[in-house]
Amino acid sequence: MVEIRHDTVTANGVQLHVARTGTGRPLVLLHGWPEFWLTWEPVMVRLADRFSLIAPDLRGFGASEKPDPGPSDQAGPEVHAADILGLLDGLGIERAGLVGHDVGASIGQALGRTNPDRLTGLLFFDCPYPGIGPRLAQPEMLAEIWYQSFHLKPFAAEVVGASRGSCRAYIGHFLRHWAGGNPAAFDDVLDAFTDNFLAHGNLQGGFNWYLSQQEARLAMLQGESPALPPIRVPTCIRWGTQDPLFPYAWTDRLGETFSDLDLAPFEGAGHFPHRERPDAAAKAIADFFERIGD
């Protein structure tokens, strides 16, 4: 039985809740939306014999602090990246591997640009990146990305959180629909996810990511994302072939963002490979970080 410990760490002036387990080389696991640390539990129990696993709730999510009580555009990747650097400092960790998904992958890219010396490597599942470009707003995608605009509305959190039923239906929709390879992947924890997002401030805390990313999103949709030098940290990307939100075809420009890239399709999974196929996800993580070493 793998024991998961829960701590609170002050990082970048914010109190972050952190779930931890295992021994060995440190790996930081960064969740996406609509998630919190619990999304990583199946992978954590499979890797605890080889790695020291650190899964924080991002600011605004889970049991971490919500420094902005209402709608805020101060929760973008650079802010979260500074939080993670503060977390590493608070835990006395000089260098760590980083595993990110969705929002967590965007934060990992920010860290890869600003503080590559603190990272042994990056591994991302289903990774938003600038090269997706205007494809995100193609007509066939509009039925998928509607939520990104809804989350900007000042009443969005009030509407979703109006009742337990409305919150469960909303969060549950994304967890099931995006899990293209295993729509039941979150069924055993759906009530825990509902409770999490019903906690005070958590819906708005998650929506603040979208408020903070709106300017960058519009630039990407218009094909005007700024040109940036590639990230040189060794990077492994495993992309679910059944992801309705980020089709695998969109991996074609990853080489422009990552100069040291190991890319492969993740068969039998959609947007959440780490939850849909945790055995294969844990193996992908272990294989990559054991190969690149320290």
Side-chain angles (χ1 to χ4, degrees), residues 85-166:
L85 284 176
L87 175 63
L88 292 177
D89 290 342
L91 295 175
I93 297 172
E94 183 61 32
R95 299 180 78 225
L98 188 144
V99 180
H101 165 251
D102 190 78
V103 172
S106 294
I107 298 167
Q109 289 170 65
L111 280 168
R113 294 188 186 285
T114 60
N115 293 86
D117 57 309
R118 302 296 298 272
L119 302 170
T120 59
L122 296 166
L123 186 144
F124 299 140
F125 294 112
D126 297 60
C127 170
Y129 75 106
I132 292 173
R135 291 179 287 189
L136 188 64
Q138 290 173 338
E140 64 270 22
M141 293 303 302
L142 295 181
E144 294 293 341
I145 67 168
W146 62 271
Y147 71 97
Q148 297 181 8
S149 296
F150 173 66
H151 289 177
L152 306 179
K153 303 302 182 184
F155 53 79
E158 182 180 0
V159 170
V160 175
S163 70
R164 180 177 180 81
S166 62

Side-chain angles (χ1 to χ4, degrees), residues 233-253:
V233 178
T235 302
C236 176
I237 296 179
R238 296 294 180 261
W239 199 297
T241 58
Q242 296 171 247
D243 188 344
L245 182 63
F246 296 144
Y248 185 76
W250 291 359
T251 63
D252 58 342
R253 295 181 60 186

Side-chain angles (χ1 to χ4, degrees), residues 3-32:
E3 178 188 3
I4 295 180
R5 308 181 304 278
H6 296 271
D7 302 311
T8 300
V9 178
T10 301
N12 194 30
V14 174
Q15 297 289 303
L16 295 183
H17 166 256
V18 184
R20 304 175 66 186
T21 194
T23 56
R25 286 176 290 167
L27 293 183
V28 178
L29 311 175
L30 300 184
H31 64 80

